Amino acid sequence: MALRDWLVTVAARIEDTNEVLTGFVEGLRDLGVPVERAAMAIEALHSEYAGIGRFWTPEEGTVVRYLPHGARRDVVYQSSPFAHVNRTGEWLFLDLTETPDDLFPIVPELKEAGFRHYIVIPFRFMNGAENGISFATRASEGFGEQGLKILRLVMPSFALVTELRATSNRLDEVLRIYVGDEPHRAILSGAILRGQVTRIRSAILFADMRDYTRISSTLSPEDAVDLLNNYFDCLVPPIEEEGGEVLKYLGDGLLAIIRDRGDDTGGAPQSALSAATRALRRIEAANNEGRFPVSINVGIALHHGDAAYGNVGSGRRLDFTVIGRDVNLASRIADLNKRLGEPLLMSKSFVNHLWGNPTCLGSHRVEGFEEQIEVFKP
């Protein structure tokens, strides 16, 4: 009962899921359940992996493996004891001394490690996600009648806490994937009122592919998506490596910021310039390697000012978007890239924070601004 209470009180508030599995297994062992190996598989809603596996042993504690998307993962899963228990809905009990090696691929591995008994327990989330946990022991008598009674008592609480944590993580991850780090934190903290605006002083990076409409008109929808993904693979990593975050994907463009670091107003622009130049080099390398259907060009605009997050929309459908004069100006400078034949342009307010000596390309009129905008290149 104390272990069950720990699950629904303390464990529910622990941030690190590894600690939860470790604490749960150690609690079982304290009660005399001879667990010497535990493995848990949880479905995930994530763009980079299909599930999360956690494995516990007394020697290593809990370690994590991310289960990839794809046909190979599906084949491996379907032949596993986890798929079996989710199909039957029943607990699986194996005396490994009497279990043929070809029953499941994991059986020979368990035998080689000296395990004698193996239990696999399914638990299904309310959204239909199929999950499970397994326990193995080297004890010749297995888990015993008392051990099985304890497992049957505490597993509903463990499954409930796991689902609550997984649901929270899923919401957190999906919001982060689609709106970015800072917006997703703001939304989850309650910033969902229409008209709420938060300003962040930052370097603003706006990137736009040249002639995308013409290029994509010759491609199938699937090939157009591949083109954009390869293109963004060139742009996004340098931005994130410099501490920036992508706020919006805008068709064939993106909007990103690198925040000012306190009073160090020069650090963010320098990082943004480094990210932009590295992104251009990656585009050039991808063109040389033939990774695009045709060679592509990109225009990148850099500006320094306020990125304003705001809730915009009507009724129950809102968009947490980035608005404001400085964002609009970065977009208009990106339009100048093509007119001036330059891959990288910077505003006056941006270069004022740089340590180098950029080249002035004069002042130019841009749509929506009465004053002419002075721009620079590195």
Side-chain angles (χ1 to χ4, degrees), residues 161-343:
V161 169
T162 302
E163 178 166 6
L164 290 174
R165 296 177 65 87
T167 301
S168 176
N169 290 339
R170 177 173 291 208
L171 174 61
D172 188 81
E173 285 293 340
V174 169
L175 276 176
R176 184 194 59 77
I177 288 169
Y178 282 98
V179 303
D181 283 338
E182 181 63 26
H184 106 275
R185 282 193 289 267
I187 291 171
L188 290 177
S189 67
I192 59 173
L193 295 179
R194 187 171 71 158
Q196 274 186 289
V197 174
T198 302
R199 295 189 181 190
I200 297 175
R201 197 73 175 165
S202 63
I204 302 170
L205 184 152
F206 196 101
D208 186 33
M209 188 190 300
R210 297 291 167 237
D211 298 321
Y212 173 73
T213 301
R214 176 184 59 79
I215 295 171
S216 62
S217 66
T218 64
L219 303 176
S220 69
E222 293 79 9
D223 288 340
V225 169
D226 285 341
L227 167 64
L228 287 174
N229 284 335
N230 287 328
Y231 162 65
F232 288 129
D233 280 343
C234 294
L235 297 179
V236 175
I239 293 170
E240 294 182 339
E241 288 163 9
E242 291 290 342
E245 61 179 291
V246 175
L247 301 182
K248 284 284 183 181
Y249 289 103
L250 306 160
D252 60 317
L254 64 77
L255 174 64
I257 64 169
I258 298 179
R259 302 161 186 272
D260 282 355
R261 305 173 181 101
D263 295 330
D264 179 18
T265 57
Q270 194 65 47
S271 293
L273 179 57
S274 296
T277 54
R278 286 164 52 204
L280 290 172
R281 287 197 295 269
R282 289 168 69 105
I283 292 286
E284 181 181 9
N287 280 329
N288 293 336
E289 295 165 6
R291 286 165 47 194
F292 302 121
V294 298
S295 290
I296 67 169
N297 294 299
V298 61
I300 298 179
L302 298 173
H303 179 54
H304 187 268
D306 289 328
Y309 297 117
N311 283 306
V312 177
S314 178
R316 299 173 65 184
R317 180 62 179 90
L318 300 179
D319 185 18
F320 202 75
T321 191
V322 185
I323 55 177
R325 180 186 185 279
D326 289 312
V327 173
N328 293 340
L329 180 54
S331 172
R332 295 297 177 254
I333 294 174
D335 293 336
L336 284 176
N337 286 87
K338 186 174 183 180
R339 284 164 47 187
L340 300 179
E342 294 289 344

Side-chain angles (χ1 to χ4, degrees), residues 18-39:
N18 290 352
E19 292 184 19
V20 176
L21 180 59
T22 299
F24 178 53
V25 174
E26 289 177 350
L28 291 172
R29 286 161 61 88
D30 289 343
L31 292 170
V33 184
V35 178
E36 295 175 86
R37 179 188 185 276

Side-chain angles (χ1 to χ4, degrees), residues 96-124:
L96 295 173
T97 62
E98 301 176 358
T99 303
D101 286 356
D102 59 357
L103 183 62
F104 298 108
I106 188 68
V107 170
E109 177 185 328
L110 292 170
K111 288 182 177 180
E112 185 178 351
F115 292 106
R116 298 286 300 274
H117 292 266
Y118 183 58
I119 299 176
V120 187
I121 304 168
F123 51 94
R124 186 186 297 267

Side-chain angles (χ1 to χ4, degrees), residues 43 70 91 132 190 276 284-285 310 321 324 349:
E43 283 191 23
W91 290 27
E284 181 181 9
T321 191
S349 63

